[in-house]
Amino acid sequence: MWFTLMQGIKLPPKYDLTEIFGKVSWSVRGIYEGYAGWYDGNPASMYEVPPSSIYPDLVRLAGGPEPLARLALDKIGDGKPVEALHLTDVVLAVDAKNVAALNARVKAMEFLRQHTQNRIESGWLDYGIRQAKEKLGTAQ
């Protein structure tokens, strides 16, 4: 539910913000969760088993990590770097040092980094890039 609100709620032009230290979408999610609580209406969310518990099954059904890593690169090429990050989450939950997924993850975060002026977002993306590069052994 909050994803729909995060995508749809925009400030009027007269309140145009540069979003250097936060984002309207982050505030929308925070307000929603503050008032509505943790439950998102999905029965699966009521239980202590996280979605990541079935990631190994998804990787197996996809034919291994490589097809998912390739799909992640395709998503970046299509301008959907966040979807690429989700795909790399799936692969890396199964194989934390998968080179193809880590490379795709770095590319997705670099894409996002190039397209933001938000300092908080930039900082977290820089951190994520460093983490992935450390796993790849290419950290500088």
Side-chain angles (χ1 to χ4, degrees):
M1 173 60 146
W2 63 78
F3 293 114
T4 302
L5 295 172
M6 289 172 71
Q7 292 170 13
I9 295 177
K10 306 291 182 216
L11 292 178
K14 70 179 182 177
Y15 296 113
D16 187 28
L17 301 173
T18 59
E19 296 185 328
I20 292 174
F21 291 108
K23 289 189 165 201
V24 171
S25 61
W26 297 349
S27 295
V28 167
R29 182 173 179 171
I31 293 167
Y32 177 86
E33 287 182 347
Y35 282 103
W38 61 268
Y39 185 61
D40 61 3
N42 179 353
S45 298
M46 293 188 294
Y47 303 98
E48 62 277 1
V49 179
S52 60
S53 69
I54 55 102
Y55 287 0
D57 299 320
L58 295 176
V59 171
R60 183 178 48 79
L61 288 170
E66 285 68 29
L68 292 173
R70 282 193 305 273
L71 181 57
L73 290 173
D74 290 345
K75 293 289 187 181
I76 297 164
D78 292 340
K80 298 177 180 179
V82 176
E83 290 181 17
L85 288 177
H86 291 312
L87 287 164
T88 63
D89 283 344
V90 172
V91 174
L92 296 171
V94 175
D95 179 3
K97 296 194 181 217
N98 184 280
V99 172
L102 286 167
N103 280 321
R105 189 168 187 81
V106 168
K107 284 184 168 89
M109 289 185 287
E110 287 175 342
F111 180 97
L112 290 164
R113 179 67 175 88
Q114 291 170 356
H115 292 89
T116 187
Q117 294 179 352
N118 183 289
R119 293 182 183 169
I120 307 271
E121 183 180 9
S122 296
W124 281 114
L125 289 167
D126 289 342
Y127 174 76
I129 291 166
R130 274 193 315 276
Q131 276 190 317
K133 285 184 174 183
E134 285 174 8
K135 290 180 183 177
L136 285 166
T138 61
Q140 299 169 5

